[in-house]
Tab-separated table of all heavy atoms in Angstrom:
chain	number	residue	atom	x	y	z
A	7	VAL	N	-1.939	-121.913	108.833
A	7	VAL	CA	-0.552	-121.873	109.294
A	7	VAL	C	0.189	-120.801	108.509
A	7	VAL	O	0.039	-120.687	107.294
A	7	VAL	CB	0.136	-123.244	109.103
A	7	VAL	CG1	1.610	-123.168	109.450
A	7	VAL	CG2	-0.563	-124.305	109.941
A	8	ILE	N	0.990	-120.022	109.214
A	8	ILE	CA	1.812	-119.001	108.583
A	8	ILE	C	3.265	-119.456	108.649
A	8	ILE	O	3.782	-119.740	109.729
A	8	ILE	CB	1.662	-117.637	109.304
A	8	ILE	CG1	0.200	-117.172	109.285
A	8	ILE	CG2	2.594	-116.597	108.689
A	8	ILE	CD1	-0.365	-116.896	107.908
A	9	GLU	N	3.885	-119.539	107.479
A	9	GLU	CA	5.291	-119.934	107.387
A	9	GLU	C	6.105	-118.753	106.894
A	9	GLU	O	5.644	-117.969	106.067
A	9	GLU	CB	5.473	-121.096	106.418
A	9	GLU	CG	4.896	-122.391	106.902
A	9	GLU	CD	5.227	-123.557	105.973
A	9	GLU	OE1	5.963	-123.354	104.977
A	9	GLU	OE2	4.747	-124.660	106.245
A	10	TYR	N	7.326	-118.652	107.418
A	10	TYR	CA	8.256	-117.644	106.943
A	10	TYR	C	9.594	-118.324	106.707
A	10	TYR	O	10.103	-119.004	107.595
A	10	TYR	CB	8.406	-116.503	107.956
A	10	TYR	CG	9.254	-115.380	107.436
A	10	TYR	CD1	8.754	-114.493	106.492
A	10	TYR	CD2	10.556	-115.222	107.859
A	10	TYR	CE1	9.526	-113.472	105.987
A	10	TYR	CE2	11.342	-114.198	107.365
A	10	TYR	CZ	10.821	-113.324	106.430
A	10	TYR	OH	11.597	-112.306	105.926
A	11	ALA	N	10.131	-118.175	105.535
A	11	ALA	CA	11.389	-118.823	105.140
A	11	ALA	C	11.293	-120.335	105.329
A	11	ALA	O	12.245	-120.978	105.745
A	11	ALA	CB	12.561	-118.246	105.920
A	12	GLY	N	10.109	-120.887	105.050
A	12	GLY	CA	9.912	-122.332	105.135
A	12	GLY	C	9.703	-122.870	106.535
A	12	GLY	O	9.610	-124.078	106.729
A	13	VAL	N	9.605	-121.983	107.522
A	13	VAL	CA	9.449	-122.395	108.915
A	13	VAL	C	8.081	-121.925	109.428
A	13	VAL	O	7.762	-120.741	109.332
A	13	VAL	CB	10.560	-121.778	109.797
A	13	VAL	CG1	10.373	-122.128	111.260
A	13	VAL	CG2	11.932	-122.207	109.305
A	14	PRO	N	7.270	-122.828	109.985
A	14	PRO	CA	6.007	-122.388	110.596
A	14	PRO	C	6.299	-121.467	111.785
A	14	PRO	O	7.065	-121.828	112.672
A	14	PRO	CB	5.348	-123.681	111.064
A	14	PRO	CG	6.054	-124.776	110.338
A	14	PRO	CD	7.440	-124.277	110.055
A	15	VAL	N	5.719	-120.273	111.753
A	15	VAL	CA	5.974	-119.309	112.828
A	15	VAL	C	4.717	-118.941	113.601
A	15	VAL	O	4.793	-118.283	114.637
A	15	VAL	CB	6.648	-118.031	112.289
A	15	VAL	CG1	8.029	-118.339	111.745
A	15	VAL	CG2	5.794	-117.335	111.249
A	16	GLY	N	3.541	-119.353	113.094
A	16	GLY	CA	2.301	-119.035	113.792
A	16	GLY	C	1.103	-119.474	112.986
A	16	GLY	O	1.229	-120.127	111.950
A	17	ILE	N	-0.063	-119.093	113.492
A	17	ILE	CA	-1.308	-119.348	112.792
A	17	ILE	C	-2.147	-118.085	112.826
A	17	ILE	O	-1.922	-117.201	113.662
A	17	ILE	CB	-2.113	-120.531	113.391
A	17	ILE	CG1	-2.544	-120.231	114.830
A	17	ILE	CG2	-1.330	-121.820	113.321
A	17	ILE	CD1	-3.527	-121.234	115.400
A	18	VAL	N	-3.098	-118.000	111.907
A	18	VAL	CA	-4.107	-116.950	111.977
A	18	VAL	C	-5.463	-117.624	112.139
A	18	VAL	O	-5.714	-118.683	111.573
A	18	VAL	CB	-4.110	-116.018	110.737
A	18	VAL	CG1	-2.894	-115.130	110.732
A	18	VAL	CG2	-4.220	-116.777	109.442
A	19	VAL	N	-6.295	-117.005	112.956
A	19	VAL	CA	-7.649	-117.500	113.192
A	19	VAL	C	-8.611	-116.322	113.037
A	19	VAL	O	-8.272	-115.195	113.373
A	19	VAL	CB	-7.797	-118.134	114.602
A	19	VAL	CG1	-6.958	-119.392	114.720
A	19	VAL	CG2	-7.437	-117.155	115.694
A	20	PRO	N	-9.792	-116.578	112.509
A	20	PRO	CA	-10.771	-115.500	112.385
A	20	PRO	C	-11.162	-114.965	113.764
A	20	PRO	O	-11.378	-115.735	114.702
A	20	PRO	CB	-11.972	-116.167	111.721
A	20	PRO	CG	-11.465	-117.442	111.140
A	20	PRO	CD	-10.292	-117.847	111.978
A	21	ASP	N	-11.222	-113.643	113.887
A	21	ASP	CA	-11.598	-113.009	115.146
A	21	ASP	C	-12.066	-111.586	114.864
A	21	ASP	O	-11.321	-110.793	114.293
A	21	ASP	CB	-10.407	-112.996	116.110
A	21	ASP	CG	-10.760	-112.422	117.465
A	21	ASP	OD1	-11.722	-112.909	118.089
A	21	ASP	OD2	-10.074	-111.474	117.898
Side-chain angles (χ1 to χ4, degrees):
V7 174
I8 301 296
E9 291 186 3
Y10 186 75
V13 177
V15 295
I17 63 170
V18 289
V19 294
D21 183 54

